[in-house]
Amino acid sequence: MTPIVYVISDSVGETAEFVVRAAASQFNGSRAEIRRISYVDDMEPIRETVQAAKEIGALIAYTLVIPELKEGLVREAQEHGVTAVDIMGPMVSAFQSNFQAEPKNRPGLLHQLDDEYFRRVEAIEFAVKYDDGKDPRGLLRADVILIGVSRTSKTPLSMFLAHKRLKAANVPLVPEVEPPEELFEVSPHKVIGLTISVGELNLIRTERLKALGLREEANYAAFERIKLELEYAERIMKKIGCPMIDVSNKAVEETASIILDQIKRGSRRS
């Protein structure tokens, strides 16, 4: 059964969703279904959400800074026996106590439309547009290019890096398809090769086939096919001269941290 978590926020709700996903990942890789209730400014959506959570046994996570709404949610949740977790409140209280300062209690301050916010949005749009080698022209404009065989976390890594305001493109490496010429025109320091062990990739692809309702013994997950793809990908990476990262048994956040370090080192060399 997939855990369901309602995220209630008087702003976008990204902060609470990120924390919920991080927590869910600690439970054997559990993927929670997150239902966002954003830009809440009165009690009506709060009452409706609490009632819905009660009916299906869901959890509520919230980032409400307006005291009346927060108190109303806590009251409603207690009355209906629903667990509600305050994501930001403890930290705000700690700031208030430790630094003797009063919070502004204004929603959305984290997402004010400043230059940093626009850069993040632009990077996310870039990652979507140039995902999976859709348009090789984007490689010449990218801050980082991820290459590797199918199911090496290229897309989630691109999105993670986009939230760090990096324009990330990714290109799948398939023996039957020549890599785009643009891949060899950019600085090799901008390219990151993602590798993985044969055994882990076999497990990942087998699970993918199951999820799609396809036969587990399909060529996509066959050991010989995987070895062929990985050997081909390694040849391309060596031809480019780019750094390579083994993503076997690594979380996306861990791999992203390594990539960010590689990018910093590459920028110092160039």
Side-chain angles (χ1 to χ4, degrees):
M1 177 181 173
T2 302
I4 298 175
V5 182
Y6 285 97
V7 166
I8 299 178
S9 176
D10 41 26
S11 184
V12 181
E14 285 182 343
T15 302
E17 180 171 344
F18 184 83
V19 173
V20 170
R21 292 199 184 281
S25 70
Q26 297 298 315
F27 295 87
N28 296 320
S30 175
R31 293 187 176 183
E33 179 183 337
I34 296 175
R35 301 177 181 178
R36 265 200 227 178
I37 315 296
S38 303
Y39 301 109
V40 172
D41 58 5
D42 61 55
M43 282 300 299
E44 189 58 31
I46 290 176
R47 294 190 187 97
E48 293 175 354
T49 303
V50 171
Q51 183 60 42
K54 178 183 178 181
E55 292 173 0
I56 61 175
L59 174 73
I60 292 177
Y62 64 93
T63 50
L64 296 171
V65 298
I66 300 173
E68 293 79 12
L69 294 180
K70 185 190 297 187
E71 292 165 8
L73 172 55
V74 171
R75 184 174 60 252
E76 289 286 324
Q78 288 176 344
E79 288 178 3
H80 290 82
V82 173
T83 300
V85 181
D86 186 354
I87 300 295
M88 198 161 59
M91 182 58 72
V92 171
S93 296
F95 264 80
Q96 187 174 4
S97 173
N98 194 72
F99 302 114
Q100 302 298 305
E102 289 300 316
K104 294 180 179 179
N105 291 331
R106 282 167 47 200
L109 290 179
L110 186 62
H111 295 287
Q112 286 181 331
L113 300 183
D114 55 13
D115 290 341
E116 183 175 327
Y117 176 79
F118 281 119
R119 284 199 300 272
R120 183 182 293 111
V121 171
E122 184 181 6
I124 292 171
E125 291 175 345
F126 186 94
V128 172
K129 184 175 182 179
Y130 298 110
D131 180 46
D132 207 32
K134 290 174 186 172
D135 185 349
R137 292 174 298 180
L139 302 182
L140 302 176
R141 296 173 46 221
D143 297 318
V144 59
I145 303 164
L146 308 179
I147 61 174
V149 302
S150 172
R151 314 310 292 180
T152 48
S153 300
K154 295 186 298 298
T155 296
L157 280 167
S158 292
M159 294 306 300
F160 190 100
L161 294 169
H163 278 85
K164 300 292 185 183
R165 302 179 300 283
L166 288 172
K167 292 180 180 177
N170 69 77
V171 178
L173 297 179
V174 184
E176 293 79 13
V177 180
E178 283 293 319
E181 295 178 4
E182 290 85 349
L183 190 56
F184 301 94
E185 295 174 9
V186 299
S187 167
H189 300 312
K190 284 189 175 184
V191 184
I192 303 291
L194 304 176
T195 65
I196 191 171
S197 70
V198 175
E200 182 167 351
L201 187 53
N202 168 259
L203 290 174
I204 292 171
R205 289 189 174 183
T206 299
E207 289 301 314
R208 178 61 175 164
L209 290 173
K210 286 181 185 177
L212 295 173
L214 301 173
R215 294 182 300 107
E216 296 176 30
E217 62 271 18
N219 189 46
Y220 177 70
F223 275 96
E224 289 305 315
R225 172 64 189 184
I226 289 173
K227 287 179 182 177
L228 173 68
E229 289 186 34
L230 290 174
E231 288 170 358
Y232 170 77
E234 186 174 351
R235 287 198 299 272
I236 296 297
M237 294 171 193
K238 287 182 177 177
K239 181 178 179 180
I240 294 170
C242 65
M244 291 184 278
I245 300 173
D246 188 344
V247 302
S248 303
N249 300 312
K250 285 187 176 67
V252 168
E253 294 84 355
E254 184 181 358
T255 305
S257 177
I258 297 171
I259 290 172
L260 291 169
D261 286 341
Q262 292 279 11
I263 293 171
K264 288 178 184 175
R265 286 198 291 270
S267 64
R268 285 197 292 265
R269 293 193 204 102
S270 57

